[in-house]
Amino acid sequence: RAPDECPRLMLVISSRSDPTVPPAAANLQNEAVHVELVPFEKFETEIYLKFLLGIQAKNIGIDWDMLDAVHDRANGCPLFIEYIVTWALDKGMIEYNQPNNKMMFQGDTTEDATAVIPRELSNIVLAAFNNLSPILWDALKIASCIGYSFDADVYEALTGKLGFIPKVEELATSYDAFERSDSNRYKWKHQAVYEAVKSLLLKNQCVQIHSMIIDVFDQSAEQQSEGSENWTQGLKADAHRLLARHCSLAEKWDGAFQQYMNAGRRAEETYNFNEATKMYEEAIVCLGKITPQHSMRSRLLPTLRLGSCLRELARYNDSEAVLTQCLSETEAELAGGKGDEQMYVHALTALATLHQYQSKYNEARDLYERALPIARRVEESSSSLWLAGHIAGYAEILRKSGDLPSAERLHREALEMRKERSCTELEMAVSYTQLGCTLFGLKRYQEAYKQHRLALLSRFKYLDFSHGLVSESLNYCAEALCALGRSEDGIPLAMHGVEIRKQVFGSSHPALAHAFSILASNYHAVGRSCDAKQLLEKCLAICEEAFPKNHANIIPNLMNYGKVLRSMGNYRKGREVYERSIVIHQLNFKANQKVDQLEKCRLEAKELAQLEASAGDDGSCIPDIARGVMPIPCVNMDLGASPIIILTDVGRDVDDEYALILLGALSRMNLLTPLAVVTTLAPARERASLTRGSLDALGLAKVPVGVGGAGGLDTDIPLEVYGAQYARSCSCIFESGVALMVRALESAPENSVQLLCIASLQDAATLIREHEELFVTKVKEVLIMGGVKPLDSSEFLEPDTAYNNNCDMESAKFVYKRCQEMGVPTLTLTRYTAYGCPVSNVIFDDLVKTAHMVGINTRRVSMEAINRLWHKVNLAATDPRREKLPSRCDRQWFCRTFFGKENIDRDSSMSIWDLVTKLNMYDPLTMLCCVPEYRETYFYWESKCVNGVQHRVTGISEMNNGVIDSALLCKKLYSLFGLSLRNALQNIC
């Protein structure tokens, strides 16, 4: 809905220097307008003075002497002009001179108008702080040196000796000097005050304050990290950058150099190469100010890192210039007899890696073949990690150029060396990944998956799930699963990999293109070429923009695209894609390199040309896959998995999606075989997109999804569908949910299908009316989340006013009556059963720990919904902000419903989520009843016999809720939810 509701968004970034744009927002630079704010010209000062004095529309002028004085003293700064005028008006020093029709300073100021204004403008700005104690003044001065805003957590070290943060809090609360954000960050309340305090400090005072800040950090580190080699190891990149700035302003250039290097390294670890580039550039500047000069190693290290970062940013020309200069310097030093061979190896391998990125494999190989013998000679120990890294780097060049057997041999050598030195698990993960990629190239897919899974487990254990290295392992595992014929398992991993890479790299980075390509391969393998085509077109658009023309890395993506086009019957375009792949291959590889890839392209192009020639023009050759028609999953009754069709209004509240999570577990346990999911309730198409994405992320990508009816509600007033980044709108969604159900029933054995209705019964009624014979023949039973009138109130079981029934009461009555007349059994679970088994928010919070996107999103939606409802129930009954909430739903009702208490001590503006203990799982409980074993273990049932068939109900009243053991049932639900999400991510957590 964002483009419709907010078609234009303006983001204003204020910065004293060029702002750092994170990679995830790099595409914003295309639309960015750079506005430089400069001091007022004198005529602009005159205009502003008229505005401040309220005479802009009165044809009254400004005295030239007053204008000169104000403009000169304020240096054209609007804030200072405003302070001067406010001060002068408070003093009654500005008056209207009627004979001249001008505003001017009071009295005779013809000799020197500037004498009216205090010589130090800070006297005006800081008048409110005249009575500050010396200690608080010191805190103000320290804060002005730190900056306009600062993180209290970073500067907590200053509290021990200087009591800095408590003084800042006092200045904020008692003197309105600072304001504090929710993230424990302070900023100056008035920029003019900040500027004025800064202006009071002489340069040597600033140097002393910055030196004091560094000394305090050093002393704090000695106390907290005794025996630690580097006390700043736990700091984030921005903290290192701040400390580097303090060192620079204290003129401690050695310390500044080290901190900028640390900041660059940390930025690289989080894939923020723009920030890392700036940090290494600052480190190089600091080196130039250090005397005596550092060794060549120290001098070249930041330059080498800078070149590597430029390479990751695809700034290949800049990177090549930097790295070539490094290599020239190391060669010159060696020629002079005072060189560093290790740095020479670093320079050679860094430039070789760049050439690999540029598809210059021959040049890269030549450089590594110069470097590796030196590395082996320099490092005699066969277990050197340094040497292992260079061996692995050479192996990667060989892998990229097609010499896979040699690459495997070298990668295994490097892996053994790292094992001997007892590397960290994260260092070992690098070797697992490199070896896994090599084994994949050798088509040893099971071995490749094993290596990539080892890497993924290590990275998930030690890194944030949103880290770029985690996404790398997710992608490679998904690629291996696809090759093993397990694409339905690969899709959840690939989906998570894509989302992480969007966050880390932004929307135009080659890393995201690679993730798109792997997800596309998995979709294609499950028969969803429409999704694969869409993703590959995004992938290729990124590659064409990011890589030089005819780059070798484009070839695999083109081959995937050609394969998808062939499956969709687009033979001409597929042939053209393969022909382009052949041209790019010949431009990048020698005759004996990657021969299999070239032959594959030639064969495909030839076959596509033949298919193109024989294809008809009447569309008869277009396969179902090209039309987005998914097959119905096969039913194997020997496994005991009952076929099921589900009607849901997912997106209205989260319990529908939790029912889908439960479906994932029951499907993997071979208890249910989902044939189709149909979404109902307007807007049903948006609900289908959410369902499609959710099923994909849960490992159920082969289950077809269809669009049902409006659910009996007015289509002009659609209900809201909550958002999810994984929602997927694609042509493989069936536009007719009823037609999809018919196909599913036709494919199933007789008397085998369960029809689960956890939404309006409108589509079920349509199915029965239009295909009654098929329904009676194939449907074993109908399970309904709803409610019924007392069992003895009528000859037939009749629906009550439960929400799902009430959406379309006529359809509900029809479904219940016809099922009883035709002898199709029904099972009804009522709201009272859900009330008898409330779950705690702890379940939602714990499922977030699986890192699965569906678990995270459903918890977010639940939290937001509960907090919105909490705010509404605290409003007056007549308040329009309550929307359609009934008046009975007040604060007491909320507390009883969600806490089991009459009231709680919590303000309506605060989040209530942490106190919630009673959330109802209506639809998951109904889904659980589809499994006979669970049905009998966890629920009591009442029955009504109609025409010799038993129709069962659980939860006939609030007192008789039908739950046998609430604690045991909650435990089972939690177990199955966790099993589903963990299995979807291949049990990495």
Side-chain angles (χ1 to χ4, degrees), residues 370-536:
R370 287 165 58 188
L372 203 53
I374 300 172
R376 290 187 184 277
R377 185 180 72 248
V378 169
E379 189 56 70
E380 296 179 358
S381 170
S382 62
S383 61
S384 164
L385 297 181
W386 178 79
L387 177 58
H390 289 301
I391 291 173
Y394 181 44
E396 282 296 280
I397 299 291
L398 296 176
R399 178 177 73 84
K400 288 281 188 176
S401 62
D403 189 354
L404 295 171
S406 298
E408 182 190 2
R409 175 176 55 79
L410 290 171
H411 273 314
R412 290 195 182 278
E413 180 185 354
L415 179 60
E416 289 305 314
M417 292 169 70
R418 285 169 169 157
K419 285 180 178 178
E420 289 175 14
R421 283 296 298 269
S422 300
C423 273
T424 66
E425 290 186 57
L426 287 176
E427 290 170 327
M428 293 299 298
V430 176
S431 274
Y432 295 144
T433 300
Q434 292 170 336
L435 180 57
C437 290
T438 306
L439 294 168
F440 186 90
L442 291 165
K443 299 184 179 179
R444 289 151 58 184
Y445 302 128
Q446 190 63 51
E447 294 176 70
Y449 177 65
K450 178 181 178 181
Q451 297 297 322
H452 287 312
R453 180 172 168 76
L454 287 172
L456 178 57
L457 290 170
S458 296
R459 288 168 172 174
F460 183 84
K461 182 177 179 181
Y462 292 104
L463 301 174
D464 289 339
F465 190 71
S466 58
H467 197 283
L469 289 175
V470 174
S471 73
E472 178 183 74
S473 292
L474 287 168
N475 286 328
Y476 284 135
C477 283
E479 184 179 46
L481 287 169
C482 181
L484 289 167
R486 296 174 55 191
S487 296
E488 207 169 10
D489 290 334
I491 286 173
L493 301 184
M495 289 176 68
H496 284 80
V498 165
E499 290 305 318
I500 294 171
R501 292 204 163 185
K502 283 181 183 177
Q503 296 169 25
V504 174
F505 296 103
S507 59
S508 57
H509 197 280
L512 178 61
H514 181 242
F516 279 148
S517 181
I518 289 174
L519 180 55
S521 295
N522 279 274
Y523 273 131
H524 176 64
V526 298
R528 288 172 53 186
S529 294
C530 53
D531 295 277
K533 179 176 179 288
Q534 182 187 67
L535 289 165
L536 284 167

Side-chain angles (χ1 to χ4, degrees), residues 600-615:
K600 174 68 173 175
C601 291
R602 285 173 172 164
L603 179 62
E604 288 289 336
K606 180 180 178 181
E607 291 181 359
L608 282 164
Q610 294 170 349
L611 289 169
E612 184 183 359
S614 62

